[in-house]
Each structure stands twice: as structure tokens, then as C-alpha cells.
Amino acid sequence: MSEASIAAPASAKDSRFNRGNRFAQFASRGALIVAILAALLYGSMASPVFFTSGNLVNILTSMALVGIVVVGMTFVLVVGGMAELSVPATIACGAILALSLQPEIGPVAAFAVAVLLAGLCGLVNGILIGYVGVNPIIATLSVGTIVLGIVQAAVGGVIVYGTDPETAALVKGRVLGVPVIVLVFVAIALIGNFVLARSFWGRWTKATGGNYRAAEASAVPVRAVKAGAFVITALCSGLSGALLGLTLQSARPLVGTGYEFSAITAVVVGGVSIMGGFGSIPRSIAGLTFVQILTNIMVLQGVRTPMQGFVLGLLIALAVALDAAFRKRGVA
Amino acid sequence: MSPSDCALTMRGITKTFPGVKALSNVNFTVRYGTIHAVVGENGAGKSTLMKILSGTYMPTSGTTEIAGAEVRMRKPADAQKLGIRMVHQELNLVPDLSVAENVYLGRMPRRWGMIDKAAMVRNAAAVLTQLGASIDPRARLGDLPISQQQLVEIAKAYSADPRVIVLDEPTSSLSDHETAALFAILRRMRDKGIAIIYISHRLKEVLEIADEVTILRDGNMIETRPAHGVTAGEMIKLMVGRDVTDIFPKSPSVIGDVVFKVSGLSDGQNFENVSFDVRAGEILGLTGLVGAGRTEVAKAIFGLARLTAGQIEIHGRPVKIGSPAAAGKAGVVYVPEDRKLDGIIPAMTVRDNIILPILRQICKLGRISTQQDRALAARYAKDLSIIPSDPQRRIDLLSVGNQQKAVISKWLSANPSVLILDEPTRGVDVGAKAEIHRIVGELVAGGMAVVMISSELPEILGVCDRVIVMREGRACPALDRASLNDERIMALATGEEAA
């Protein structure tokens, strides 16, 4: 009965925890939509430029490249993998290879090789984290540093330029007024959403993040699922990097700096739990949308860069604190 | 005895948890300068009583008096202030700190705002000498053998100048020689006037060390008596004697061929040379005290832990099981002991939990077929009468009994031929318990082979066809239910009767 006594109050705590969490889900989902609408409203009143098609396409374009990374990063957070910090390296890998291999193997093959090699970095991360059991922060940080070093050595630390104007024109082009990059982002988001919300892999990802041991005891290949999240993220950032390189027609090894933080910010602001087990692509993209609109408004208003950083930092802290507060209140 | 003799008096202690009465009206008195043993089966209420005494739980009703004054303890720090110290089975020590630092953890002597290391080492050495333990206070704790680490834990409790020290299964990892050394130290502390509460399953040791014995059973205090003149047999009788009321007896089923056979299983750590077989239509009980290695055996069979030796056969064919997925494919499934830790994904619905092991089978082009998953989940929810039968509810909002039924049905969807249930009715209420027994009975009637791990003897004796008792990692040969009773099982489990 002593064992029973342990089980019983725990389950009572549990249901309270979940009531709290459900409320948190509702609050964060509703709050974010309200926040996005409020930002749109404020933006259109504060600046005459804001609600022009030019500016909105601007927002979408700057969203697209981070957005592709956000799709991958969502998998990492949902599977309980905390964060993936080798994103800048895999972006650089994608950007530099997509350009530098063009003369040798042609633009299409260069693009494919760039994305696949980035994916290989993710596989190394995944094996270290999922199978060896290295802490994700440490694993991705060290793999990222190593890959970045290799990339820098390979290009000799200088800028690489594109040699194929046709692909550049294609990537920078528009279909019915929508930039191609935005279309790629939408496609990746749709695929990501299908995998996470509808496929067995997504279900396994949520189960592994929700309760690793129970998932393992339910015949979920937890190690592979965990590793998979990092491969997905690396493929996404490789793709994002390749597109970035083709857009700029030049790439430096540090081209991807900051993307990891932008992506994590979006996912966390979207209300995806940093503890794993819960989250969706639409949520992450809502978080990204809000952050992008806010940044855009600050730029239009002439808010200085340090202040922008301050606001974004505050936003992350607030989002994480809310998540923690709801959990704590549920458990206390 | 005069009141001034009493270090601790607990009166009318009742503790209820939702659906369970863990303690009912327990009276418990410990005198200064005595070693007082508390014995009882798994789940008799020993740990709950100690958790109340140490301030971890508040009693539902009842009072606690320390040294004659009534006290209210709301948190462990309150109990410590009143001079109550616990020495847990799992030691609460920091391996990378020195012995002296561990003894004075959180209350190190200070000088000019800095830790006075010299004084700390001096004091620790003095405490260890008083206890008769020859341990260097400057040694790194992690370098000591486990028996000496335990003495450090006792020294830590003793150095706080306590009234009452509670020891929970202190000899479980000690050799006979080390146990004798520990007993010498306990007697020394007793002679200094400390009240010592000694919790153990090892009745022989209890008789050797204790001055008084209190027996708990099903949350009730049965008796407190002087240890002198009591026999192990009498204690076992008092520990298990009770009515069998909440058991759904197994209906006789046709017992077929051997479906599942394991031989010589070892994991090099928790169990050794375990062999048994189960036939179609049979429930094999696996019992023993907590820590005897039952769960470890089940987890290793299911591929959640490694085996270093042994063979597993299903339908006469040897199989290699490296993961739960492989086990499921081979037809062996395991319903774990700890629902919260190993059983459920709390944030998911009942349906999503149930279909997890067979997700791949109900996918088309990677997409989970909603029709199939709904149909399957609804069928199992209905078969097992999970109430409410809404499979869209989040699983953690269900009652404990319904959660357990959902965890069982999760694996039934994989159509196994061998079902291993680990404490399937722990913590569930009486109604759900009978229902789980009924479900298991139906599965067996359908030809399934079931291994049921349970600490509850009435359950083992009421439901199982044959029983294996494990003790310290070894299993006795399977015994027929007819040849068993509560007392014989307890005797086998505690080592009073050699297997």
C-alpha cells in the first residue's frame, strides 16, 4: 500500500498538471494570434509603408529562409532534443558548397550535394545524441564548430561567388508575385506539418519527447527517432543555406551566424515546449511570424539595433517563463 | 513505561490517498535507547508511516509527539529540527566530496565566513571514532566501498545529535561480516540513548538486533511486542494473516503446451540463472520481496535491458530479443510496473497511446490511417471497458485503474502469445483490480500464456496456477498453487525456507 500511496497522489498531481498545461496551450495559442493581429494593426497605423505589398513580401522573404530552419528545429524541440546549435555551420556548408561546386558538377548537382552533406552533419549529430547519449547542446556545438572549421579551411576563409546566373535568376524569381524562396518555404512547412502531425514518424517523435521510457517500452525506436530530428534539421538548414547562397550569389563561412537563435526564438515564442513532447509546425510558424512582424515594425520605426535585441531577448524569456510557470503551478 | 521514556509517540495516524487508505489508525511508540524494528509485507504501510515521521507526508488525521510534546511537521526540515534523521536505502551522499564534507553537508563549521576545514575534519574524525568506524575523514567518498559509505550516512545522521534515527533496509547491500559491524554501531548508538527505528525484510536480523518489534499489515498496526521470545514463524503469521476479499479467482482454463520457456537467464548484476516455462492458458506468478530481481528479469526478457547469459524460446524456437520491437514481433509483451514512468505518454490521448506499438501496421504511405486507428482503439477500449470509453481523452486524465487497462490494451493490439504483467493492480482500486483479474482470466482462456509479477500474496495465490518465488536474484523452481500458502511464500522470500 505504500507503493499505492506513491502512485495515487502522483496521478492527482498529474491531472492538475495537465489542466494547467491545457490552459497554457489555449492561452498561448490564442494569445499569439491576438499578438500577431495587434502587431499588424499597430504596424499599419504607425507606418504608411508597413501595409504595402512591397513590405509584406519583404517580411515573407526574410521569414522564408529562417522558416525552413524553424521547421526542422520544431522536430528537435518536440523530440526533447533541447536545441540544435550547428545550424550556422550547416547553413554555411549548404551555401558554400552550392556555389563552389557549380563549375565542377553543375548547379543542380551542386545544390543536391550541398543539402546532402549538410544532412550528413546532422547524421553525426544524431548518432552522438541518439545512440551515444551525448548532451544535444554539447554535441551540436562541437559538431558545428568542427564543420565550420572544415568549411573555412576548404574555401581558404574567403568569399565564394556564384558562377551560374540562371539558377540565381530562378531562385530570385517570382511566381504570380510570390518569391520562389517563399514557395519553397511553404512546401517545406507543408511537408513538415504532414510528417509531424499525420505520419507515424511524427507520432513517434511526440511519444519520444513526451515520455522517452514509455515510448521505448512501446516499441518506438527511440534512438533513431531522436537522431532523425537532428538529420531533419540539418537537411532543412542545408537547404536554407543553399538557397541563401544562390540568392546572394556569394557566401562566407559565417553566412549562417544567428540563424540558430532566430529559429529557436520562433519555436519557443510559438509555444512549443522546450521540455519536449508537445508542439506543431503551425505554432512554430506563428511564433516566427510574430517575431518577424515585430522586427519589421522596429526597423520601420527606426528602433536601434541594441534595442531590437533587447525586445527579442525579453520575448524569449517571457515565453519560456510562461511555459515554466504553467508547469510549476500544475505540479506545486 | 513512563512518558519521559518515549522519544516518539504517534497516535491514531491515518493517511488516505485518493482511492487508497494507506494507514488506518496506527499507534506507534518508540522509547529512547531501544532498537525498534518495523516489519510488514510490501505495501503494509511502513514507508508511508516513515514518510509521515520524516515530514514528507502530512497525516490525514492523528498526532505525533516528540519527547512528550505534540508537534506538526510540514516538511522534512521540520522533522530534522526535531531531531529525526533518516538513513535511506539509497544513500544521499555526494561521491566527489570527502567523507568529512559529506558528514557536515549543509552545516559545515565556519570561521570568518569561510569553511573551517580543519575543524570539520577533526569533528568528523571524532564522530567516526565514537561510532567505532575506521574511516579516513579526508578520503573521497566515492572511493569507499558501499558498506563504508553507509556508515558515513549513519555518521551524518548521528553527528546532528538526533533523538530518533530511522534506518530503511540498511543491510540490503551488506555482507554478513559488514552486517555484524553495522550492528555493533547500532548498539553503540542505542546505548547512548538514541531511539533507532529499524525497517527490514530480513526477519533473522530483526530478531538479532531489535529490542521491540511492531508489525504492520494492510495499513493497520497489528502488534508491538518485545523481540525477545518471538520467532520468525510467528512474525510471518502476523504479517500475512488476512482475509482474501478483493481477488477475482481465475476460472479453470485448458492448459496447453509450453509456449514460453527461459533458461539460465542472468544479467550479471540483478539476477542469476533464472529458468521457467509458461504454458498456453496458464498464469505463472512471479513473486518475492521488492528488489529480488523480478522486474529486472521481465525487462531483460522484453529487450529493455541486457542479458549476459541464457536462452529464450517461444513455441519451442529459440529467439533473440534485442529491443521491445523485436519482443513484440516475437510475441512477447510486457506491461510495466511504473505506469507513470514506463507506461503512458501523458500528453497523448488514450487512442494515441493504445496504437503506439502497431503504428506502422496502420499506416498508408506513412500516413496514420484514422479509420483504422479509431476502429482499433474503440474495440480495445470497449473490450477492456475503459471508462469513460472516449478514446480522445488525454490518458493522464483517466483514473489509475483505467490508465492501467489502457496500458494493457496497448499491447493487446499487437496480438501477443505471451503477456508479462508487472504489478498490474498496484495502486488501483478494488473494483478495477477485480476487473483487471477478469480481463487477464479471459486472455488466458483464449490461450495466452501470462506471467504475473506481484508483491501481493493474495493476488498471487488467488489468480496464479503456478508460482515462482525470487530471492536476491535467484528463482526457486515453480511451485503448484495447491502446495502454497502465504506463510510458505514469505518464508521462501525472506530466506527462512531454502528454495
Side-chain angles (χ1 to χ4, degrees):
Chain A
M1 215 170 291
S2 55
E3 285 82 5
S5 59
I6 294 161
S11 67
K13 268 181 197 166
D14 241 25
S15 57
R16 250 187 296 156
F17 166 87
N18 287 300
R19 244 176 279 141
N21 203 25
R22 275 188 157 184
F23 176 65
Q25 286 171 28
F26 174 78
S28 68
R29 185 178 291 164
L32 201 55
I33 290 167
V34 172
I36 291 173
L37 290 176
L40 282 173
L41 194 69
Y42 175 81
S44 50
M45 288 193 303
S47 163
V49 192
F50 180 79
F51 226 81
T52 59
S53 67
N55 187 50
L56 291 183
V57 167
N58 243 342
I59 295 179
L60 276 175
T61 313
S62 71
M63 254 179 80
L65 289 172
V66 185
I68 294 171
V69 180
V70 162
V71 171
M73 194 67 86
T74 308
F75 279 84
V76 166
L77 268 86
V78 170
V79 87
M82 296 197 266
E84 141 75 290
L85 298 183
S86 54
V87 165
T90 37
I91 286 184
C93 180
I96 286 171
L97 290 176
L99 294 180
S100 64
L101 292 179
Q102 276 180 351
E104 279 109 59
I105 57 173
V108 178
F111 192 89
V113 168
V115 175
L116 288 178
L117 271 181
L120 194 68
C121 303
L123 190 63
V124 175
N125 275 329
I127 289 169
L128 285 175
I129 295 158
Y131 290 87
V132 183
V134 180
N135 177 297
I137 307 268
I138 305 299
T140 56
L141 195 61
S142 56
V143 168
T145 312
I146 292 167
V147 169
L148 204 56
I150 294 173
V151 169
Q152 268 172 326
V155 300
V158 293
I159 298 179
V160 179
Y161 293 99
T163 53
D164 187 79
E166 269 176 52
T167 45
L170 179 72
V171 170
K172 282 191 260 189
R174 293 186 179 201
V175 178
L176 301 172
V178 184
V180 169
I181 290 187
V182 173
L183 292 176
V184 174
F185 162 56
V186 170
I188 294 293
L190 287 174
I191 296 170
N193 187 45
F194 168 79
V195 173
L196 190 57
R198 298 258 173 266
S199 81
F200 68 89
W201 191 267
R203 192 66 62 78
W204 280 351
T205 302
K206 286 182 193 166
T208 304
N211 185 346
Y212 186 89
R213 286 182 52 172
E216 188 184 18
S218 305
V220 174
V222 282
R223 289 173 194 83
V225 170
K226 205 156 194 185
F230 289 87
V231 176
I232 292 170
T233 308
L235 286 172
C236 286
S237 14
L239 176 64
S240 177
L243 291 173
L244 181 62
L246 290 176
T247 313
L248 301 173
Q249 280 300 300
S250 70
R252 300 168 294 122
L254 297 180
V255 69
T257 310
Y259 273 74
E260 78 280 33
F261 291 118
S262 305
I264 294 168
T265 306
V267 178
V268 170
V269 169
V272 174
S273 173
I274 195 118
M275 316 295 284
F278 166 78
S280 71
I281 302 291
R283 273 176 164 279
S284 298
I285 290 175
L288 177 67
T289 310
F290 179 64
V291 172
Q292 291 290 333
I293 292 174
L294 196 68
T295 312
N296 183 261
I297 291 171
M298 288 195 287
V299 171
L300 291 180
Q301 295 280 81
V303 176
R304 281 175 303 136
T305 317
M307 192 59 193
Q308 289 184 24
F310 181 77
V311 170
L312 287 182
L314 215 58
L315 199 63
I316 303 177
L318 191 74
V320 176
L322 266 178
D323 185 39
F326 281 125
R327 276 166 193 278
K328 207 181 220 168
R329 210 175 60 185
V331 175
Chain B
M1 79 185 82
S2 78
S4 60
D5 289 345
C6 298
L8 164 77
T9 309
M10 297 172 94
R11 272 189 243 275
I13 299 285
T14 296
K15 178 71 185 172
T16 52
F17 295 108
V20 198
K21 199 167 197 178
L23 289 174
S24 94
N25 198 22
V26 168
N27 296 312
F28 181 58
T29 298
V30 184
R31 288 181 294 136
Y32 286 118
T34 57
I35 297 177
H36 194 123
V38 179
V39 297
E41 278 183 284
N42 299 330
K46 295 171 303 206
S47 5
T48 309
L49 187 66
M50 290 309 124
K51 278 185 177 147
I52 288 171
L53 178 58
S54 63
T56 309
Y57 291 159
M58 298 266 289
T60 310
S61 63
T63 58
T64 304
E65 285 171 26
I66 306 282
E70 193 175 322
V71 293
R72 278 177 76 78
M73 298 178 289
R74 291 164 204 278
K75 52 184 190 294
D78 294 344
Q80 291 186 5
K81 252 180 238 153
L82 289 162
I84 297 166
R85 293 277 154 173
M86 303 280 292
V87 176
H88 292 281
Q89 205 173 344
E90 292 85 24
L91 305 176
N92 292 315
L93 296 170
V94 188
D96 284 319
L97 293 182
S98 73
V99 168
E101 283 165 329
N102 269 291
V103 169
Y104 289 102
L105 201 62
R107 50 194 178 91
M108 297 184 186
R110 267 181 240 173
R111 205 167 150 201
W112 312 113
M114 310 276 278
I115 290 164
D116 187 348
K117 238 182 166 167
M120 185 169 72
V121 170
R122 224 170 26 242
N123 296 351
V127 168
L128 289 165
T129 319
Q130 274 185 47
L131 289 176
S134 52
I135 299 172
D136 178 5
R138 275 167 299 234
R140 182 178 162 272
L141 184 99
D143 295 337
L144 301 179
I146 205 85
S147 59
Q148 295 204 349
Q149 292 190 19
Q150 191 176 35
L151 294 183
V152 172
E153 178 90 60
I154 291 172
K156 180 178 161 186
Y158 178 73
S159 67
D161 200 15
R163 287 193 175 89
V164 181
I165 292 185
V166 182
L167 295 129
D168 187 7
E169 293 287 351
T171 59
S172 57
S173 48
L174 301 188
S175 67
D176 290 352
H177 179 70
E178 291 161 342
T179 300
L182 173 74
F183 284 181
I185 286 174
L186 294 188
R187 291 198 181 98
R188 206 168 292 195
M189 292 201 295
R190 171 189 66 191
D191 296 341
K192 291 189 193 298
I194 297 174
I196 295 171
I197 298 175
Y198 186 91
I199 296 169
S200 180
H201 281 303
R202 301 188 174 185
L203 302 183
K204 220 178 250 165
E205 291 173 1
V206 165
L207 292 176
E208 187 186 334
I209 186 79
D211 302 304
E212 285 183 275
V213 185
T214 290
I215 293 140
L216 293 178
R217 184 210 305 156
D218 295 342
N220 295 295
M221 207 282 278
I222 302 303
E223 202 175 345
T224 295
R225 51 159 86 174
H228 186 72
V230 184
T231 66
E234 279 175 287
M235 270 201 277
I236 290 176
K237 207 168 208 159
L238 291 168
M239 280 157 64
V240 297
R242 70 162 117 49
D243 302 332
V244 180
T245 51
D246 51 356
I247 299 300
F248 192 90
K250 184 194 173 214
S251 47
S253 58
V254 186
I255 294 186
D257 297 333
V258 170
V259 173
F260 184 61
K261 185 174 177 201
V262 301
S263 37
L265 298 185
S266 303
D267 75 343
Q269 198 181 347
N270 300 303
F271 57 89
E272 209 184 321
N273 200 17
V274 172
S275 307
F276 58 83
D277 57 33
V278 200
R279 285 167 286 185
E282 184 183 47
I283 303 178
L284 177 74
L286 189 52
T287 190
L289 300 170
V290 168
R294 303 165 305 177
T295 296
E296 287 77 6
V297 170
K299 284 194 166 173
I301 290 173
F302 189 57
L304 280 170
R306 286 229 170 132
L307 286 167
T308 53
Q311 207 185 14
I312 301 172
E313 284 174 35
I314 295 171
H315 292 297
R317 274 198 318 271
V319 289
K320 278 255 171 269
I321 294 176
S323 68
K329 233 172 245 162
V332 186
V333 302
Y334 168 65
V335 176
E337 173 183 20
D338 192 325
R339 267 180 302 279
K340 221 165 96 75
L341 220 53
D342 296 317
I344 63 167
I345 315 281
M348 284 191 173
T349 63
V350 174
R351 182 212 295 166
D352 291 352
N353 267 282
I354 289 179
I355 62 168
L356 203 49
I358 49 151
L359 219 43
R360 288 300 295 278
Q361 281 104 290
I362 58 167
C363 274
K364 268 187 210 138
L365 299 169
R367 185 174 189 274
I368 299 163
S369 153
T370 35
Q371 281 167 346
Q372 280 194 51
D373 99 17
R374 259 176 223 162
L376 264 175
R379 200 180 95 212
Y380 286 106
K382 195 166 148 274
D383 280 1
L384 299 188
S385 57
I386 296 170
I387 306 160
S389 55
D390 176 12
Q392 290 274 52
R393 247 172 108 91
R394 275 179 58 155
I395 194 161
D396 48 0
L397 300 176
L398 298 185
S399 73
V400 176
N402 281 319
Q403 280 183 22
Q404 180 68 328
K405 284 189 254 173
V407 174
I408 294 175
S409 63
K410 173 167 83 175
W411 274 113
L412 293 183
S413 62
N415 238 338
S417 44
V418 183
L419 174 67
I420 306 175
L421 298 162
D422 197 348
E423 300 283 3
T425 62
R426 169 175 293 174
V428 309
D429 60 59
V430 175
K433 195 178 217 174
E435 210 165 335
I436 288 170
H437 290 156
R438 176 185 63 77
I439 291 162
V440 174
E442 279 171 15
L443 293 172
V444 171
M448 206 178 278
V450 171
V451 179
M452 184 190 280
I453 300 175
S454 176
S455 298
E456 286 190 46
L457 299 187
E459 179 166 83
I460 286 285
L461 290 167
V463 177
C464 299
D465 296 295
R466 286 183 303 148
V467 179
I468 287 175
V469 182
M470 280 191 74
R471 186 173 78 86
E472 291 175 4
R474 290 165 184 278
C476 77
L479 299 161
D480 241 26
R481 172 167 52 165
S483 70
L484 285 172
N485 56 28
D486 292 8
E487 285 154 37
R488 176 126 189 258
I489 291 180
M490 272 318 270
L492 283 164
T494 53
E496 287 303 314
E497 180 185 329

